[in-house]
């Protein structure tokens, strides 16, 4: 008998002050492409877990001269499904636990690195 599939949805919300957020998320199998997310809005996607396990999504974030890369969903590790991008970095919130936790800080990129 086949197991019923369970949809997982991940949300990345722009909580920056007056800045558009560029979000580019992907897994080994799926590239969700880059999206410009206005302040107060979210980029979200839904998926089913890989049949063999190991579903992993990571996101690259960019705003002006700052960059950040983080694991947005890891089937084997602790994964939040709500991500809040703020001026000091990205924060996560699990759908079952109300605590918000700090995940990663922004990294400043020097002008010559902006094109790479």
């Amino acid at each position: 008998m086949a197991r019923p599939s369970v949809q997982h949805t991940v949300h990345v919300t722009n909580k920056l002050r007056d800045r558009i957020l560029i979000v580019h998320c992907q897994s080994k199998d799926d590239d969700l492409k880059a999206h410009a997310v206005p302040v107060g809005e979210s980029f979200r996607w839904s998926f089913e877990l890989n049949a063999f396990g190991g579903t992993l999504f990571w996101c690259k974030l960019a705003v002006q001269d700052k960059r950040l890369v983080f694991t947005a969903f890891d089937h084997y590790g602790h994964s939040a499904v709500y991500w809040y991008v703020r001026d000091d970095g990205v924060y996560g919130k699990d759908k079952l636990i109300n605590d918000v936790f700090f995940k990663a800080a922004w990294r400043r990129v020097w002008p010559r690195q902006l094109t790479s």
Side-chain angles (χ1 to χ4, degrees):
M1 180 192 243
R3 268 179 35 194
S5 64
V6 176
Q7 284 282 319
H8 294 271
T9 302
V10 175
H11 308 255
V12 179
T13 302
N14 181 353
K15 296 278 188 180
L16 297 166
R17 286 181 300 201
D18 301 324
R19 292 194 178 105
I20 291 177
L21 173 68
I22 304 301
V23 179
H24 183 181
C25 299
Q26 61 190 94
S27 71
K28 185 180 88 170
D29 301 320
D30 297 301
D31 184 344
L32 305 177
K33 306 293 183 208
H35 298 268
V37 181
V39 174
E41 306 242 344
S42 298
F43 169 64
R44 64 185 145 274
W45 72 97
S46 297
F47 57 94
E48 294 177 9
L49 295 178
N50 182 317
F52 301 105
T55 302
L56 175 71
F57 279 93
W58 64 91
C59 295
K60 298 174 187 174
L61 307 179
V63 61
Q64 291 183 332
D65 64 344
K66 296 187 275 189
R67 304 290 183 270
L68 191 154
V69 178
F70 73 101
T71 301
F73 186 89
D74 182 354
H75 178 74
Y76 292 125
H78 176 75
S79 288
V81 292
Y82 298 99
W83 296 102
Y84 304 105
V85 182
R86 298 183 179 157
D87 291 314
D88 62 340
V90 65
Y91 291 78
K93 181 179 168 301
D94 191 284
K95 65 181 173 181
L96 301 176
I97 303 169
N98 276 335
D99 291 338
V100 174
F101 61 91
F102 183 74
K103 177 72 172 181
W106 289 105
R107 180 176 60 89
R108 187 164 304 281
V109 180
W110 300 107
R112 69 174 183 211
Q113 293 175 303
L114 291 173
T115 57
S116 56

